[in-house]
């Protein structure tokens, strides 16, 4: 936070003035799973950097669902620190909770199947680590973090290398023994071709339900299967029921709407009442 | 981009190998206004940092609408630079174009009225300047950038200062002569109270259509009026028709879905054909 | 502070050795207004980073005037931390107090008039936020912080845009509703021309006293008036008495001499005496 | 330069619009020595970062004196790059040229004596390397850069170590063989005491002219002598004539007034004329 | 490179003066494999940052062995840029080439066996990515980069989790589908226990040759085997001949002696001769 | 430490779980001098950043020698903080202790002579300040830190300047009065030539023992003498006995093998026993 940002609150009131405030979810019916609350240390830091003595309490237990109106955070601190840090804290909290909330909805949609919901590298610039953390908080599992921790041979790699076999050969020759290799395929012929190459996983891209079912049957558990492309909350359960192991959803990190959480100062009167 | 990220492409093919690729909008019917294209220098940089000799051309003219399938960018460069920079470039492009696209839809919805669409400080941490730039590209106008460039007296400030009059007095005493002051009000009584204080603008927060109309009539052009709260693509035109000067929409920057843009390597065969 | 800088003090004496020291203003007759003392947290940080247990006390009350020889700060801490941090702390303290002191002299010179002393963007590279803070501590008011928080149409903009009207039109079309616009003028004709354009403020640049008086009369309170150019401690009161609202002084931040403040270690003997 | 700063000029005019401008010294009689011009690469960078194709020419030869009104720089580039970079460039140029100018005046004042003008560590936070460079451009010589490149045993060190002998012994035991040691003394007795310790240099602090003469006679060329304290343009020549080797002047870097240099856009008419 | 570092060369000679220099390996018999030469871009950058027009040529082909005295690099550029950048460039070059050279010796020692030489996380703080790159240049293969790209369950993890089974269960439950798991074992009983858990690889730590042979026989190709502990150039071939797949050597990155490479300016006479 | 690095330990066990661990030197007979222990604050920081409440105790007194197996550090803290920080802490500790240990061996080898062991600028990129600190901990003395704090005229400078006299003249003219000058010579003729120029020190480069003896005799204490080139633990004492003042050893910082120090978690049983 730049020194500029503090211009208003620095003079708005003398630093000793302290206020109590609480933060609550505004949107009715939106469930905030407990694990999302792990996103809160960032919110804490926004205030603590401005007022080291701020007191912050998160009344909601880890793992609980949160109804609209639930008070999720209680803060007492210097008024101007609260006014200065409020928006930044809520921007972190809302963005990451939004991702966790959307992930939780996808996870709920496939409950009872064997499929796990995973993320992609389609993240917001600068926030990948936090967003992938939010996905885990929402019950999802992380795909690789970058180009460095796993090899995923996609269409462009195959074009560049001159064929899937050539691409895989290069990957095998250079990657370390701890690096897994996944190959993207788009139809059953490519599934068969890829299985010859003995990969660790297959990415079944943009295949319809019957093709997915056929692919799962063909693979027969020999490698991990991941479905991707055109996944929505409406379609995800049917995809899960084809028997794939994983369903990757780019929208988790690139299109999750914010979870609307606000911060309200408590009027002194009310506070006195509470003290009584 | 850390050195880690480059692990795959560094060995995947020798640096001299060059590929042609093109980037296109994938989603049918989504309009990409020309001005959004100003978001592209960031995309350029993702590739140029890895291959200083990369050639990038944006065939779409500034200000044009883009149908699904339109080729928006043509790149020729080292294959491994393209494979390495692809995802980061598309993440920037998709996120910022998504904001510009959503803004353009709001702007189109109020066409013909006097209302302008403006953004808020509800931005993604780390990306405020870029996101506010994307709003301008989409035809919107920026509200203040932070706490430093304008004074907006909101509910929490009024609670902290002990009243709207006290809050405004403090602001007037300390802010420079170039800083405007806006006051948040939620009903007609507060409109009247605020007008006594001679602010530069009024933020009419969460007022219904009839209340907005009454407020606009009461203000009678003496100060700028801004409506906020509960604005959606469905409701924005009716709000605009109440006669307010500005409508602020947090969703522009906190909940815009990504614009789906992909990058495809051109198979050599096709390229030979193109060369013929 | 780089690790290099600490080479001397690290071995000069064992870390447990502690010393008491005090800092005092050296220059007779120079008044250090209380508000300047807010510059001191930076001084504190220079020592605290090297010795987290350092004790620092500022005996001078906020807002008091300081005569030469006044002890403004008392420190007890590790000798080598004090020897290492001393020069950096004094450089901050002297530079910012120098700006506050000069500002206070200008503010005193216009006491009783309606004019306020304001700063400019002619600041030392890297220190604008701190220097503008020092101006406020000295009783001045800040003009805009940069190109982003207000529009000031100056001679070069007018040349570039092809006329003051064209420049203002562009500014109005693109700036947000919270951004004020000021126009620079140099004679009465330009004052009249600018007033037609309905700006928020006029910058009366390098106009003599009679021209300033005429301009103030012409403006008649419709917009804010700011005088600039050739302002010195000798001329500032006469300028203020023309009735302008603001007088901007570049020298506050680009040419203020340092306030000479030194740090003296207390000899052990003296300390024992003090303890007795 | 933050992206915020560019808000005005980005829309003020389309990027292709180019302007010619020139920069000139505004203050009559102020001499800008050629060597100061080496300060200009920073000025160049302010524009080049915003417009890589900007053309900058410095018509004044290195080492020349510059009268008021002299055109020192000619620039042709994108209008908005010039409007955006102007103030930052001039702030660098004015501050560093101010230091070089003041240094040159001190150097001129001691011309013909054996004394050299040197700087101190009393520099502006963040700018020490640039400011010491400006001192060299003005004809001065640098004292040490920090605590790491030379040992200067001052009053506070002597108090902390319990005596000048103890302080020197510690320094000798730990410093490398390439590090020189200078001792601060304030009267003839201390000169004699210090000479026993065989230092590389003596800092004669706040001694009057007769004491300085006596000290120089006593030292008899065995070690380097440096005078400091209360040095002004009025007193510096008399100090130099005492025969000291060096005179250190804190004001060079902590209190030099800016050199007033402005930037003026050339009106198109004038430019056409120039082209004819 | 800080501005301080450049103090000497900046004045040592005027910038136009250019010199030719060459860099050569000083130590006889040390083989510098071609792939190590990829370490050179860093060396290039040390000079290019100081003189953008420097010309650098690496006469040794990629993959060649280098005898003592071989000229590996030829540079022509500003003398002071070469004098300033020389040591930093050689420090990079010597350190990374030292690692590549030691790796190449280990790789040569196991030539003809199935074992590959791999590195560890025992790297120099700040240089892991470069050092692991040097290992690859020397013919080795990288183990994981950090805690994030593979799971290696070691003794301390087993103590902390309360048993190898509990540790593996936690890893399986949380790690993504692309993350492999390796278990550290120290004797045949632990090999059997670990194989029950179906890991991707076994780390056979500090086992003697007969134990290694027995373990390899027991594993029978079901998982990857890695030997570690007490590996030296003397012992590595015998270890390789036990049939393990991988041998990890911490010394590659934590104890490789520098490869002695120097830089010599070419005397003008010699240069004239060369030109003739 | 990036957020990526923490992926494993974050979920591996719940944060409240705490473990006791100890760190011990693994290599028999390697002496760890007490002063090296000053390297440990960095090790502390690796853990404290992850667990602010970690308790760290260093049982070995400053200056003691450490036999293989000595427990040098005891830690109690969150298990996952210990698992996460372990490798980074040990990498710092092993690298810096390795340098201190090697320095101590050189210092011991010349015990009783007048020679002091000094380092060079042949350090690991990024770690110079720490490595030179480790040399001091091992009983050595630092040569200059960079090009900025002393002038060393070497072969390449002489070639570039066109002779040792020309090089020295330039140095004298521009360097400050606190900067010493050393000249590199390689035979007795050059010693004589250099002595004419009255330097502060001579670097006797790559001269054999009889030449060194002759040079020391020739110099006769007038300037400091430093031997360099081909120094090993076998040859250093004979070099010291020639009477030179200093022996510089590049290997101290560029080729010191790591000191093998490990970290072991204490099994709960053992801990209970300890508690009993």
């Amino acid at each position: 936070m730049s020194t500029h940002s503090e211009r208003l609150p620095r003079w708005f009131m003398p630093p000793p003035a302290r206020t109590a405030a609480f933060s609550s979810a505004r949107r009715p019916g939106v469930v905030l799973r407990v694990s999302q609350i792990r996103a809160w240390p960032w919110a804490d830091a926004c205030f603590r950097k401005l007022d080291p003595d701020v007191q912050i309490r998160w009344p909601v237990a880890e793992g609980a669902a949160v109804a609209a109106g639930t008070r999720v955070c209680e803060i007492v601190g210097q008024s101007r620190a609260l006014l200065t840090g409020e928006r930044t804290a809520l921007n972190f909290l809302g963005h990451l909770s939004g991702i966790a909330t959307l992930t939780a909805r996808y996870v709920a949609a496939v409950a009872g199947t064997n499929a796990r919901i995973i993320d992609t590298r389609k993240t917001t610039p600068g926030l990948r680590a936090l967003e992938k953390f939010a996905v885990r908080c929402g019950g999802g599992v992380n795909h690789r973090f970058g180009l460095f921790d796993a090899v995923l041979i996609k269409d462009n790699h195959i074009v560049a290398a001159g064929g899937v076999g050539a691409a895989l050969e290069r990957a095998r020759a250079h990657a370390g023994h701890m690096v897994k290799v996944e190959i993207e395929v788009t139809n059953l012929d490519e599934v068969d071709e890829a299985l010859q190459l003995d990969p660790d996983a297959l990415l079944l891209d943009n295949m319809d339900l019957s093709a997915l079912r056929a692919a799962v049957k063909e693979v027969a558990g020999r490698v991990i299967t991941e479905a991707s492309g055109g996944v929505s909350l409406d379609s995800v359960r049917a995809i899960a029921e084809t028997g794939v192991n994983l369903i990757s959803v780019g929208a988790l990190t690139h299109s999750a709407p914010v979870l609307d959480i606000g911060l309200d100062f408590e009027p002194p009167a009310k506070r006195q009442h509470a003290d009584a």
Side-chain angles (χ1 to χ4, degrees), chain A residues 2 11 24 175 177 236 243 257:
Chain A
S2 84
W11 51 257
S24 62
H177 70 288
V236 69

Side-chain angles (χ1 to χ4, degrees), chain A residues 23-37 40 58-73 97 101 104 259-261:
Chain A
S23 186
S24 62
R26 297 279 158 86
R27 202 58 72 80
V30 175
V31 177
L32 177 70
R33 275 178 30 116
V34 165
S35 345
Q36 298 159 15
I37 293 173
W40 284 340
W58 301 96
V60 179
E62 273 229 72
V66 173
T70 304
R71 189 179 284 207
V72 297
C73 178
S97 296
T101 300
L259 179 68
D260 188 1
I261 300 178

Side-chain angles (χ1 to χ4, degrees), chain A residues 26-140:
Chain A
R26 297 279 158 86
R27 202 58 72 80
V30 175
V31 177
L32 177 70
R33 275 178 30 116
V34 165
S35 345
Q36 298 159 15
I37 293 173
R38 291 190 211 156
W40 284 340
W42 282 278
D44 283 40
C46 295
F47 296 113
R48 217 172 287 286
K49 199 171 173 183
L50 298 167
D51 175 5
D53 299 324
V54 72
Q55 295 159 27
I56 304 182
R57 207 174 68 83
W58 301 96
V60 179
E62 273 229 72
V66 173
T70 304
R71 189 179 284 207
V72 297
C73 178
E74 293 173 357
I75 311 180
V76 179
Q78 287 185 14
S79 304
R80 79 183 191 198
L82 269 50
L83 290 170
T84 303
E86 169 187 6
R87 178 46 40 212
T88 307
L90 293 178
N91 285 348
F92 268 115
L93 194 50
H95 181 69
L96 297 176
S97 296
I99 290 173
T101 300
L102 184 60
T103 304
R105 295 181 67 192
Y106 273 93
V107 168
V110 302
T113 72
N114 285 323
R116 297 210 284 182
I117 299 299
I118 62 174
D119 54 27
T120 66
R121 290 188 302 125
K122 296 178 177 176
T123 53
T124 313
L127 299 177
R128 180 171 292 173
L130 297 187
E131 292 181 343
K132 285 192 167 255
F133 177 64
V135 167
R136 293 203 300 279
C137 291

